[in-house]
Amino acid sequence: MLTMPHEIAIGDLYFPPLLLVVIFSYLVSTGIIFIAGKLGLLRYVAVPVLVELSLVVLISGLISQFIHFV
């Protein structure tokens, strides 16, 4: 049975797991958007900011499905 994720302690600071997942997924999506911009794929997109936001949401969902905090 899966347990409820709890805070992650880094030093004396406590971080909720979802915050760390969103930060990591933002960094990954920024890298994807950077590579897509270098390849010229962003010219086919009407609103690149919405694509980046959608990538953050999708990657956060994928990470939270596969990583369970103990």
Side-chain angles (χ1 to χ4, degrees):
M1 185 165 141
L2 298 175
T3 60
M4 177 72 91
H6 56 279
E7 290 83 13
I8 297 171
I10 299 176
D12 288 334
L13 297 174
Y14 291 100
F15 295 101
L18 185 59
L19 176 67
L20 298 177
V21 167
V22 169
I23 289 171
F24 180 71
S25 64
Y26 175 72
L27 294 174
V28 170
S29 68
T30 302
I32 291 172
I33 291 294
F34 179 75
I35 292 170
K38 288 290 185 184
L39 294 175
L41 297 175
L42 288 181
R43 67 181 132 171
Y44 300 113
V45 176
V47 185
V49 176
L50 289 178
V51 172
E52 187 172 5
L53 179 64
S54 300
L55 278 175
V56 169
V57 170
L58 288 173
I59 293 170
S60 296
L62 283 173
I63 291 172
S64 65
Q65 288 292 320
F66 293 114
I67 293 179
H68 300 288
F69 297 97
V70 180

